[in-house]
Amino acid sequence: MADLSKEPFNLIVAGVGGQGNVLLSAFIGMALVREGFTASVSDTFGVSQRGGSVTSHIRISRGVACSSLVLEGQADVILGMEPVETLRALGEFGNRAVITIVNPRPMQPTGGVSYPDLDEVRQAIIKLSARTMFVNATEEALEMGDPIYTNVILLGALAGADVLPVGREAMVEVLKARFPGALYDVNLSAFKKGEELIRDAAGIFS
Amino acid sequence: MSGTKRGSRNLLEDVLKAGLCTGCGACVTGCPYMAIHEGRIVVLDRCTIEDGDCWRHCPRTPTDVSGFSEKTQGVPFDFLEPGAIIAVEMVRSVDAAVREKGQDGGVVTALLAFALDEGMIDSVVCSKKDAGGAPHGFVARTARELLECAGSSYEAAFTLEAFRKIPAGNADRLAVVGVGCQMEALAKMKAAAPVNGGNPQNVQLTVGLFCGWALRSDIFRPLLEEICDTSRIVKFDIPHSPGTSFDVYTKDAGKISIPLDDIRPAINPACQYCWDMTAEFADISAGSAGSSFHGWNTVITRTPRGAGLMKRAVAAGIIEIQPLPESRMTKLKASALNRKKNALRNLARKSGTREDLGYISGLPAGLVDALLKD
Amino acid sequence: MASVIAADNPGAAVLLMGNEAVARGAIEAGIGVASAYPGSPTSEILPAIADVSGERDIYVEWSTNEKVALEVAAASSFAGIRSLAVMKQNGLNVALDFLVNLNMTGIGEGGMVVFVSDDPGAMTSGNEQDSRMAAKWFDNPLLEPENAHEAKEMVAWAFEFSESVNLPVIVRGVTRLCYTRGNVVLGDLPAGMRKKARFSDVWDMYNPTKSKFTATPSPVAHRLLHEKFEKAREILENAPFNRYSGPDNPELLIIATGVSAAYSAEAVDVLHLKERVGLLKMGALWPLPKKTILQWLSRTKNVLFVEEMDAFMEGSVMELWAGAGLHDGGIRFHGKCSGHFPPCNEQGADLVIKALTDILKIEHQLIDADYKREAAEYMRLVPNRPINMCAGCPHRATYWAIKNAIALDGRNGFVCGDIGCYAMGFGPPGFFQARTMHAMGSGTGVANGFGHLGRFGFDQPVIALSGDSTFYHAALPALVNAVYNRSNFTLLILDNGATAMTGFQPHPGTGVLATGEPAPVVDMEALCRATGAEVMVCDPFNLTETTQAILTMMKKNAGVRVIIMRHLCQLVKVKRKIAPRYSMRVEPEKCIGESCGCDRLCTRVFGCPGLMWDSRAGKAMIDEAICVGCGLCADVCPAGAIRKEEVH
């Protein structure tokens, strides 16, 4: 488990409204508090909550609570639930040292707005990150039968990447507290799937 | 100019808002952004296509009338004549019931029913009035359905919208009945088939209707509602004599005559720019103008295909024919030419110059000046 | 899972959202009654209390509007039971008429807290406002917490404060406070029997002045209010929520309220200014603790105010300074007056850093300029993600029908919109149909007015929209007014079975209480019929029928016509595990995509998020991760390429 290399340590979770990033961020926050850290978890919305971009700011410290929002260019880790949103977050919070974990499945904007070339977006993410790991979370979730598992798969990937000061035990405890019975089992297997995927994801260094 | 590429935005600005829409119905064929409602073309949403069928098929976007005439009629175009002519005759249906339901001689209904019967065509694109409502495009597949569509509507009928009711890939051979502007639109549709909609290439026969003007249903219908129960209307007529009354036949009240002047406000202003009284792009054109007697139609047979049908119909005893007196022929030609002069004059007035005749292109140089000199 | 909100585990640190912390504070204070009308960013407070209402013996209700909520809470206070009323900024406006009078009469023996949240940046609202002004306007005690933990502490403390000054206390939040999760250290839960509720001040015929809860004679009541206010000020001078950190004689004093205090602390930290700059973090704002403030003003020559929205402290402190005759000292004030902060939108530490570097003339480079330049170039790839309604949302169907009906009608009809998810109708999700949008119920109210303009030549048909919850909240009086005064419009009530925008709270039409228990249904249709309006009910997913219904109602052009558009919110369907009705697919060979005759009608205009455009193939696709199988796009597709199959 990584210790708090920096105070505050800043994690950005970037996604689209409805992807479940708010819940994912809350899970991370709960795990952090469980481990004795001071956490602040705050979401910012783009144009809207529904179908718009949603960015969660997770700030980790010991002792005094931080303010809610990560300053420009100050993310340590970016967890991108969607490629374009990951790139958007890199533009605002990225820096030469940032580690990026990305779910490469695009979510198309609506209202006639077209999606950029996916390869270009991938390349840009790699260029703007010190290290990038792609995790096919949505594909795996669909294979499990419901896209709803995407966020827990990504939680597993985040735990497996060993970039946060909080490890898998605390996160699994949070899942256990949150999901009753059979739901816990399926979410745990989603979590494990994420851990597996990140193990296989060769980090791409820019 | 017929190569101009434009889309629905231009159609909205340059045709609909410019008061040029004739109500032919071509633009809505296969288009989800436009609809017809109570006698109006309605734009439902913004389309971004810049090379659209709506513009391409509209009879009031630039049209090479000479080129299209040659293409559809197979003979060189003479703007001074009422189109290609093989014969001009007085014709009527032998069946009195058809005459009663149809207009004057009931020839159009009789001919098309015969064409359906003998298997020349499978269905007829025409217009139909539902009880109390404005006419709309309709695909008649039987003689019985056809008879329900008989009789002049006097209203712009958006006939060609019926193509949207023909499923893609349908191979039915079609006849189309319509007025001049609709024949122009159909010629354009045949020249470049719509992307989404029935296939005008399957049209085997076109029957044109003489047209002086058409009424706008959105203005005409409220006028009608003031004088009768529109759901009980059977037929309209403008009798030759005295020529100043508009007769509405209803199931309950019989004939109600309205002074023609009372319904003039409902005449589509776009009709003043129309050059084509006799539907020159059709195989056969029919109407009452020129006929000597009540109960007969004047019929212009224009193409060999039309002539063949006429011949077979006579032989089968469906229609009967008598020659059109010379004086009537002269009068018919004069009115057709007069219509063209008026259209050119009105178009020149609209644009402010004889150089710009709006949608009409392809006229021989000097012709316009010659026609408008008086 | 047992609710962490009611965990009897004093001293434990848990992660709570600001709203949950407010709920916990009220529970720790032993409230007996909580009432609210849903409104983001406060919507989670009441459900958090409702979750434990049984075990903690608390009466909770979703009231039909905020004024009623405040009245319900006040009665509890009158009878000696502590109560909490919750509302967003717009709700406070609705409740103000009662609050103004409640201040005059004073409360009962039960403390009363009104939690109001503003929404800087209008992230979940149609407007921005600074509700703190109401405290100054109507003489209300006012507190403002910095973070979730302080929110819990402050709400609990506010009940005692309220009881000691006999006034309702406003605790003001902002969206960032309400929706940020942070560590909260739990306190003790109340133990023992709750006291009996009793309206003790029975009117005494020998001493009529004891009729306590009427503010007459008003001048006397008003004077009494100001006397209470001076007592309140004394208490706030020593409140635990105003803290100073920094040097004894700071070069610059920051006075910051609420969440702005945290932004300020971070800015001071980032710029390493702890030796030069002092931070007076204020949580107890009104009545202004004059002594505390003057004491710190006297030790500096530079003051920077950091607060979101209006210059509430800034103006009040400058007034105080001017009135205290301390001009000799010569203080320079900075804040909104100096242009360092805007009077609108959310602020963050970055703005404080900018203000400090400017005022103190220091250099600071937060970000790597090279990286920023490189990143900026890639941002050309990042498209906007426009606002949208959910896949399967019935409002999309309703707006599609409205759009077509208005176009077909051809008289330039328009829509008076209202507050709720369907407010998105001003943009692409509603095909730009909603043309006015103001307060709850205003669609119907404004339509009332349009409906009388025929005498001045006005000939456009008017459609008013109201959500189901909005209908009970404020549209009903407007409907009654419309029928009574013979207005002329069509009201569409978008009945999706929940207060969807704010999180699917029940309302009087749903048959469910805040606690989830069954409730009598206040029949919307019967209510509308009782007004005398012509009423019909449609399922907006029957597009053709719905369009025709709207068209027919528009054409009537006299009187008030109501169409109830009834279809369950898609998210509620998901919550209730209602399976998708159709399985959807696109037949690519039939899809004509960008060609004439389609022009991407489904993805460009209709715009359901469950549809994707495959630009390489030039075909539409169903996104199975998002599509909910409502089937509507199959009815819209002009080429018959989108197919729906009933799922059995």
Side-chain angles (χ1 to χ4, degrees), chain A residues 16 22 26 29-30 33 37-44 47-53 59 67-69 71-74 82 84-85 87-88 90-92 94-96 105 107-114 116-117 120-121 124 127-128 147 177-178, chain C residues 1 13-15 123-124 147 176 179-183 262-263 266 270 346 349-350 353 366-368 370-372 374-375 378-388 390 421 424 500-501 571 600 603-604 607-609 612-613 616 623-626:
Chain A
V16 177
V22 172
M30 287 174 199
V33 173
F37 289 100
T38 301
S40 168
V41 182
S42 201
D43 313 309
T44 60
V47 190
S48 110
Q49 292 178 66
R50 291 164 205 267
S53 40
R59 314 197 67 191
S67 76
S68 313
L69 300 173
L71 282 166
E72 199 182 351
Q74 302 299 309
E82 199 281 345
V84 148
E85 294 313 317
L87 187 55
R88 196 194 306 277
L90 279 163
E92 198 173 350
N95 51 69
R96 295 277 173 223
R105 160 102 172 196
M107 295 257 299
Q108 296 225 353
T110 52
V113 176
S114 54
D117 185 88
E120 266 193 88
V121 174
K127 285 282 279 187
L128 292 177
R178 162 81 193 194
Chain C
M1 176 176 116
V14 292
L15 187 78
M123 289 176 266
T124 63
N147 54 36
R176 192 56 62 200
Y179 284 150
T180 296
R181 290 165 208 269
N183 294 48
Y263 299 138
E266 177 154 3
V270 166
E346 188 179 29
D350 50 346
I353 290 172
L366 191 63
I367 46 172
D368 173 351
D370 271 355
Y371 180 90
K372 200 72 202 166
E374 195 184 334
Y378 287 120
M379 289 309 115
R380 73 185 153 76
L381 292 173
V382 178
N384 280 329
R385 223 175 249 290
I387 189 167
N388 208 342
C390 307
C421 293
M424 282 184 248
M501 188 75 174
L571 296 179
R600 290 181 53 195
T603 53
R604 187 181 62 85
C608 174
M612 291 199 293
W613 175 245
R616 285 193 190 156
D623 186 342
E624 71 267 35
I626 296 172

Side-chain angles (χ1 to χ4, degrees), chain A residues 42-43 45 68-69, chain C residues 17-20 22 39-45 87-89 115-125 127-132 142-148 151 154 170-181 257-263 285 306-310 336 344-348:
Chain A
S42 201
D43 313 309
F45 306 103
S68 313
L69 300 173
Chain C
M17 193 196 283
N19 279 338
E20 295 167 326
V22 169
S40 303
T42 62
S43 307
E44 293 74 10
I45 297 173
M87 56 202 67
K88 70 181 295 183
Q89 79 269 17
F115 184 80
V116 181
S117 183
D118 285 337
D119 187 14
M123 289 176 266
T124 63
S125 308
N127 77 330
E128 281 186 326
Q129 77 179 43
D130 194 331
S131 296
R132 298 178 302 174
L142 171 73
L143 310 174
E144 186 182 1
E146 176 180 350
N147 54 36
M154 194 178 267
I170 296 178
V171 178
R172 183 243 194 176
V174 291
T175 305
R176 192 56 62 200
L177 171 96
C178 293
Y179 284 150
T180 296
R181 290 165 208 269
T257 69
V259 296
S260 295
Y263 299 138
L285 306 188
V306 188
E307 58 190 327
E308 286 182 326
M309 312 300 298
D310 293 341
K336 303 195 197 287
C344 53
N345 215 342
E346 188 179 29
Q347 294 167 188

Side-chain angles (χ1 to χ4, degrees), chain C residues 154-223:
Chain C
M154 194 178 267
V155 166
W157 185 85
F159 282 97
E160 285 175 33
F161 176 43
S162 165
E163 283 160 10
S164 54
V165 295
N166 188 242
L167 287 172
V169 173
I170 296 178
V171 178
R172 183 243 194 176
V174 291
T175 305
R176 192 56 62 200
L177 171 96
C178 293
Y179 284 150
T180 296
R181 290 165 208 269
N183 294 48
V184 172
V185 180
L186 301 180
D188 291 319
L189 290 174
M193 291 283 287
R194 197 185 284 290
K195 72 175 184 181
K196 178 175 163 39
R198 180 177 163 76
F199 189 76
S200 55
D201 283 284
V202 178
W203 188 73
D204 176 351
M205 70 169 72
Y206 298 102
N207 184 5
T209 59
K210 280 190 76 182
S211 55
K212 197 179 169 191
F213 300 115
T214 66
T216 47
S218 294
V220 176
H222 199 183
R223 195 192 72 226

Side-chain angles (χ1 to χ4, degrees), chain C residues 335-363:
Chain C
K336 303 195 197 287
C337 62
S338 60
H340 285 103
F341 295 100
C344 53
N345 215 342
E346 188 179 29
Q347 294 167 188
D350 50 346
L351 275 186
V352 189
I353 290 172
K354 236 171 125 191
L356 287 174
T357 53
D358 182 59
I359 296 164
L360 298 175
K361 312 258 176 293
I362 48 179
E363 291 289 327

Side-chain angles (χ1 to χ4, degrees), chain B residues 30-33 35-38 40 42-49 51-54 56 195-196, chain C residues 400 403-404 407-410 431 548 551 555 592 594-601 604-605 638-639:
Chain B
C31 179
Y33 297 92
I36 290 160
H37 184 71
E38 296 181 348
R40 287 176 295 116
V42 174
V43 179
L44 297 172
D45 226 310
R46 192 175 58 91
C47 168
T48 65
I49 301 278
D51 176 16
D53 286 336
C54 59
R56 204 183 343 266
V195 178
N196 187 29
Chain C
W400 191 261
K403 171 190 73 115
N404 288 348
L408 293 174
D409 175 84
F431 320 110
Q548 192 52 51
L551 201 49
K555 283 202 190 305
I592 55 173
E594 282 173 315
S595 305
C596 178
C598 181
D599 191 20
R600 290 181 53 195
L601 184 71
R604 187 181 62 85
V605 182

